[in-house]
Amino acid sequence: MSSHATSAEPAGPPAACSPFDFVRRLAAELSAGELKLPSFPDLAARVRRVLDDRRATPAQVAAVVGSDAALAARTLRIANSAAYNPTGASITSLQAAIGRLGHDAVRCAAVAFALQQMRDAVRHPGLRPQLQEIWRRSTMVAALAHAVAHRSRATGPDEAMLAGLLHNVGWLYVVARAGRTVVADHSTDAWEEVLRDWHPQIGRAILEHWRFPEHVATAVGEQNVPDRPRGAASVLPDVVVCATTLSTCIQSRHAFEHVVPTISAFQRLGLDVARCRLLVVDSAQQIHQMREALAA
């Protein structure tokens, strides 16, 4: 498969299908193991392979990343963002950028590239506003997950950013599959509610199909489970839950007080209302630059 093509828009249910029935059919396909999952874009897959190869040199990694100008530019922007460049010393060498970022952050750049390809493969103009909103949420949650992991020291910030970026992959896929079905219904509250309920499990299936680590797939699949049992094997789901929650709180000054104390994931990460407010304020520049770099 070309590095600029994905199977993001396979044939879906008949055009007369309602949004609820559409997602219900996808859920039935998922339960039966018959969901037609997209392929991971070729270039992103090659980046993952070279990053997973312990024998790969920095020059070999740079050669793969640099084989696409857009991915190379995105990698450089992330390396020069406030989160990775606190001294303000800009770099222009791709190999130096990869050395500054480390493999996990480069992997995140490749995933952002892959998700953007999935989004751009959807040609229906009526879906553009929703696709743009999905991408906006993805970059916001990714940047917040990085900040939450950094502040709480619960897990690696780059891994948290990756999980945050992927948290909406199921939503993106459902919209891509919807294609030419009744677009007018895609903005309704009912459509949003159905998607909110089902997209985590579809996202988890996609990540398992793409052979992402199990704990990353679990974090995406359990993002709607704010009260996970204590002692769970991975804290990454808690970080994603906190990041998605904070992304909704930022727009309202009073939301922190009403929401944060009710979600045990914040308590397990040692984040109370005051710490969450401070996190958002202190990380504002980093979050802004990280979102711009991921969305490049």
Side-chain angles (χ1 to χ4, degrees), residues 19-284:
F20 177 81
D21 287 339
F22 182 88
V23 178
R24 186 174 61 180
R25 291 186 189 188
L26 290 187
E29 288 180 19
L30 178 62
S31 298
E34 298 172 352
L35 188 64
K36 301 177 181 67
L37 297 172
S39 299
F40 201 47
D42 179 64
L43 176 58
R46 286 193 284 121
V47 172
R48 182 171 63 187
R49 284 195 296 271
V50 74
L51 292 175
D52 289 343
D53 184 356
R54 294 182 179 179
R55 298 168 299 177
T57 66
Q60 289 173 320
V61 176
V64 176
V65 173
S67 64
D68 186 278
L71 177 57
R74 189 191 305 268
T75 303
L76 282 165
R77 286 190 184 95
I78 295 174
N80 286 313
S81 67
Y84 294 95
N85 184 25
T87 66
S90 181
I91 54 177
T92 57
S93 160
L94 185 57
Q95 190 166 326
I98 291 168
R100 174 183 285 179
L101 290 173
H103 284 193
D104 283 342
V106 174
R107 186 176 287 108
C108 195
V111 167
F113 174 84
L115 295 179
Q116 194 165 31
Q117 285 191 306
M118 284 181 64
R119 185 192 68 182
D120 292 346
V122 180
R123 303 300 182 188
H124 199 297
L127 295 177
R128 288 294 172 187
Q130 187 170 174
L131 291 168
Q132 287 296 112
E133 176 61 15
I134 291 169
W135 192 238
R136 187 198 68 79
R137 291 179 191 171
S138 297
T139 57
M140 174 62 85
V141 171
L144 282 167
H146 187 279
V148 167
H150 179 74
R151 180 60 59 95
S152 67
R153 299 183 179 179
T155 189
D158 295 333
E159 186 173 64
M161 178 170 63
L162 176 64
L165 188 65
L166 288 164
H167 89 283
N168 256 356
V169 67
W171 200 308
L172 173 61
Y173 174 69
V174 171
V175 173
R177 273 287 300 265
R180 296 178 178 81
T181 55
V182 188
V183 176
D185 286 340
H186 291 182
S187 60
T188 65
D189 291 341
W191 172 247
E192 290 268 329
E193 184 177 350
V194 170
L195 273 174
R196 193 174 295 111
D197 289 343
W198 282 105
H199 84 89
Q201 291 308 312
I202 292 173
R204 180 174 189 160
I206 291 171
L207 297 186
E208 290 173 347
H209 177 65
W210 285 352
R211 299 182 181 177
F212 273 78
E214 177 60 29
H215 63 286
V216 175
T218 298
V220 171
E222 295 186 359
Q223 63 186 272
N224 285 354
V225 187
D227 297 309
R228 298 168 63 247
R230 291 187 178 274
S234 172
V235 297
L236 192 57
D238 283 343
V239 173
V240 174
V241 167
C242 291
T244 56
T245 303
L246 289 177
S247 71
T248 65
C249 290
I250 288 175
Q251 304 302 321
S252 171
R253 54 184 290 186
H254 301 296
F256 291 91
E257 287 86 349
H258 294 308
V259 176
V260 170
T262 68
I263 296 178
S264 60
F266 285 103
Q267 300 163 25
R268 285 196 291 270
L269 295 181
L271 297 173
D272 57 15
V273 171
R275 289 188 177 93
C276 286
R277 284 188 177 278
L278 190 62
L279 181 155
V280 170
V281 171
D282 287 352
S283 305

